[in-house]
């Protein structure tokens, strides 16, 4: 028996930060690609671990593609089995009520664990234990009521949408230890959009398949689906298949020692091209777009001109890499001027003092400065007018980071004036 796994498809959404008129970047396109992949891979089952439909457009946009996709799968002899997540707790119930069981089956309604046994060649081949979100939130761990485990030598796979190692989560907190000692041979989870496989033999493998289509720049790296086999009554390790049409990630550019604008521009271009080619090669033929967060670092005489040099790059720079397009979503830079730090550390000029302060912060020191800045940040944080911003509370770490960034800007300005 062969099984395809996906989850967190969020049908109704579309990958962000790419041109409005670009096609093939909707979550529903990814779903239809999952259907094709399942048929091509000759799987027997498709398992979906919740948040198949997005809350915002859930019913109207999801119902058509889900019916069409599961019907195409059923025609190829492939059954789709799902649990619902916090986004689609109500949609999947309605879909399951409308469609025949051999096409689409929802496990674990009303927050009650449910076992479904899949047969192959007239024999029980796999037990699936599933639990579905009964409402938008679920603060108790579903594992508190899980009692399945082995019974008859037939392998068991658990299917649940929830938050691993976040005990206070309102999205079905799951703890690793309970999963490991559950007796199941494998766990397929949903909720986290980055893929993650936890596998220490002989414990069960535990998998977040991740969203098949990367949906925003925070969803970096590879996205796709997974396939595993059940052979000789054992559940084999899952294998990843890349599927996303977009890849989001960072591209570091080191401009150390660069002295002219032309050389600076060439360096940025060649770094982006090279990185895009590597990504294109690794991700295969589904890839249509590569979106970079470019991070420029290094010591350069052009430090105080970087903002001006890279202005417009997000809007204007685009490369074709094979049949994929590479573009820049955002540029950040943390460059230092090409200055003689040793001399400045002994200098009492404004630039010298700034360089000394930065060095102290980098060495983790200057407790007074950090405490003072933190007190100011906390005061601002308490102000009613800023509350809607939902920023993390000021900590020692982010205060330190903020101070360093500010000092770097001051140094760049001052160094620019003297050079
Ligand atoms: Mn979720």
């Amino acid at each position: 028996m062969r099984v395809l796994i996906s989850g967190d498809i969020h049908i109704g959404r579309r990958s962000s930060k790419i041109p409005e008129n670009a096609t093939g970047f909707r979550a529903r396109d990814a779903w239809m690609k999952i259907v094709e992949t399942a048929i091509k891979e000759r799987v027997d089952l498709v398992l979906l671990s919740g948040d198949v439909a997005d809350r915002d457009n859930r019913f109207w946009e999801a119902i058509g593609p889900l019916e069409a996709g599961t019907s195409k799968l059923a025609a190829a002899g492939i059954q789709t089995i799902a649990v619902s997540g916090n986004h689609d707790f109500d949609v999947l119930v309605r879909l399951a009520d409308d469609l025949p069981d051999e096409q689409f089956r929802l496990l674990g309604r009303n927050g009650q664990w449910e076992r479904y046994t899949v047969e192959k060649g007239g024999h029980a081949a796999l037990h699936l234990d599933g639990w579905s979100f009964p409402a938008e939130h679920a603060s108790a761990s579903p594992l508190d009521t899980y009692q399945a485990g082995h019974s008859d030598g037939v392998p068991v796979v658990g299917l649940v949408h929830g938050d691993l190692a976040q005990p206070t989560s309102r999205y079905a907190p799951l703890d690793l230890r309970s999963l490991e000692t559950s007796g199941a041979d494998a766990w397929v989870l949903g909720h986290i959009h980055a893929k993650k496989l936890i596998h220490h033999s002989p414990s069960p493998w535990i998998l977040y398949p991740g969203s098949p289509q990367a949906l925003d720049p925070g969803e970096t790296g590879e996205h796709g689906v997974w396939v595993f086999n059940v052979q000789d009554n054992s559940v084999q390790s899952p294998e990843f298949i890349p599927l996303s049409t977009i890849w989001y990630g960072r591209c570091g550019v080191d401009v150390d020692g660069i002295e002219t604008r032309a050389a600076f521009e060439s360096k940025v271009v060649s770094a982006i091209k090279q990185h895009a080619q590597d990504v294109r090669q690794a991700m295969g033929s589904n890839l249509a777009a590569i979106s970079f967060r470019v991070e420029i670092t290094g010591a350069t005489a052009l430090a105080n001109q970087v903002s001006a040099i890279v202005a417009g790059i997000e809007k204007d720079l685009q490369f074709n890499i094979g049949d994929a397009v590479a573009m820049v979503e955002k540029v950040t830079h943390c460059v230092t001027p090409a200055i003689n730090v040793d001399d400045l550390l002994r200098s009492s000029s404004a630039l010298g003092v700034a360089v000394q302060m930065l060095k102290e912060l980098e060495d983790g020191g200057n407790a007074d400065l950090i405490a003072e800045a933190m007190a100011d940040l906390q005061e601002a944080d308490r102000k009613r007018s800023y509350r809607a911003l939902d920023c993390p509370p000021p900590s020692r770490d982010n205060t330190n980071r903020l101070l360093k960034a500010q000092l770097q800007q001051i140094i760049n300005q001052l160094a620019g004036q003297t050079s």
Side-chain angles (χ1 to χ4, degrees):
M1 171 164 287
R2 191 159 162 78
V3 183
L4 183 143
I5 310 170
S6 187
D8 294 286
I9 308 172
H10 286 272
I11 297 174
R13 287 182 59 188
R14 175 180 186 272
S15 302
S16 69
K17 307 283 181 186
I18 44 166
E20 286 290 321
N21 55 3
T23 57
F25 295 96
R26 296 175 305 180
R28 60 189 285 185
D29 302 322
W31 162 241
M32 292 319 286
K33 199 163 284 170
I34 292 170
V35 171
E36 283 165 31
T37 307
I39 294 168
K40 198 172 110 214
E41 291 285 324
R42 301 175 166 277
V43 301
D44 301 284
L45 283 180
V46 168
L47 300 184
L48 302 175
S49 60
D51 285 3
V52 171
D54 191 73
R55 187 173 42 225
D56 292 337
N57 287 316
R58 55 191 166 191
F59 190 72
W60 302 116
E61 189 165 347
I63 197 80
L66 283 172
E67 275 195 24
T70 54
S71 150
K72 202 167 168 188
L73 288 169
I78 304 167
Q79 189 182 18
T80 304
I81 297 168
V83 292
S84 53
N86 51 302
H87 274 259
D88 54 8
F89 65 91
D90 54 353
V91 177
L92 295 191
V93 173
R94 288 157 75 184
L95 187 72
D97 286 343
D98 282 351
L99 298 178
D101 267 3
E102 60 274 19
Q103 179 174 339
F104 181 78
R105 197 173 176 119
L106 180 73
L107 296 184
R109 287 172 188 232
N110 305 316
Q112 304 284 318
W113 284 96
E114 178 183 356
R115 169 165 288 189
Y116 172 61
T117 301
V118 187
E119 296 195 342
K120 176 125 188 185
H123 300 282
L126 185 65
H127 293 310
L128 292 168
D129 291 340
W131 181 95
S132 280
F133 265 68
E136 195 182 345
H137 295 113
S139 301
S141 170
L143 299 175
D144 292 347
T145 54
Y146 180 70
Q147 279 181 339
H150 277 282
S151 47
D152 50 7
V154 174
V156 178
V157 172
L159 190 60
V160 61
H161 191 90
D163 228 346
L164 190 61
Q166 303 287 337
T168 57
S169 173
R170 295 194 297 160
Y171 301 106
L174 306 169
D175 74 291
L176 190 59
R177 175 108 190 107
S178 300
L179 293 172
E180 282 175 342
T181 56
S182 60
D185 297 275
W187 282 96
V188 175
L189 311 182
H191 193 58
I192 304 300
H193 290 194
K195 68 181 167 70
K196 183 173 189 184
L197 175 64
I198 303 167
H199 192 187
H200 327 275
S201 193
S203 296
W205 52 257
I206 299 164
L207 175 72
Y208 273 112
S211 39
Q213 174 77 6
L215 293 169
D216 65 59
E219 300 187 1
T220 57
E222 296 179 315
H223 284 260
V225 296
W226 298 73
V227 173
F228 71 93
N229 293 326
V230 181
Q231 229 164 13
D232 306 324
N233 270 344
S234 110
V235 175
Q236 322 252 293
S237 295
E239 280 170 35
F240 178 72
I241 302 175
L243 218 82
S244 181
T245 52
I246 186 160
W247 185 98
Y248 296 103
R250 68 175 287 280
C251 173
V253 184
D254 182 0
V255 294
D256 213 50
I258 284 181
E259 289 180 350
T260 68
R261 182 168 176 146
F264 189 106
E265 289 164 346
S266 304
K267 187 72 194 250
V268 171
V269 165
S270 67
I272 291 172
K273 268 190 179 164
Q274 181 59 53
H275 197 154
Q277 263 152 9
D278 295 346
V279 170
R280 169 84 176 80
Q281 204 145 39
M283 293 299 100
S285 59
N286 282 319
L287 198 70
I290 300 164
S291 171
F292 284 124
R293 283 208 169 151
V294 173
E295 292 170 17
I296 302 175
T297 54
T300 166
L302 302 167
N304 66 340
Q305 299 170 43
V306 175
S307 297
I309 297 175
V310 300
I313 191 171
E314 292 101 335
K315 194 161 62 67
D316 298 330
L317 188 68
Q318 221 174 70
F319 294 111
N320 291 320
I321 308 287
D323 35 11
V325 174
M327 55 205 152
V328 176
E329 185 251 323
K330 195 175 178 179
V331 184
T332 58
H333 48 90
C334 185
V335 295
T336 48
I339 50 178
N340 188 330
V341 174
D342 289 337
D343 285 351
L344 285 167
L345 283 173
R346 285 189 298 271
S347 149
S348 59
S349 68
L351 179 57
V353 172
V355 169
Q356 285 152 31
M357 281 171 94
L358 181 61
K359 179 152 194 327
E360 275 175 12
L361 288 170
E362 275 166 356
D363 296 343
N366 209 333
D368 288 351
L369 179 65
I370 293 175
E372 202 182 316
M374 218 169 119
D376 288 347
L377 285 171
Q378 275 160 350
E379 198 189 321
D381 195 56
R382 281 192 294 270
K383 289 223 166 86
R384 180 189 272 279
S385 22
Y386 297 135
R387 211 160 285 163
L389 288 177
D390 199 22
C391 293
S395 68
R396 216 190 125 78
D397 267 3
N398 55 31
T399 304
N400 193 339
R401 211 171 308 131
L402 195 66
L403 280 171
K404 284 195 289 196
Q406 292 295 312
L407 273 166
Q408 194 63 65
Q409 278 187 28
I410 293 169
I411 292 167
N412 293 357
Q413 280 302 322
L414 290 173
Q417 287 165 15
T418 55
S419 64

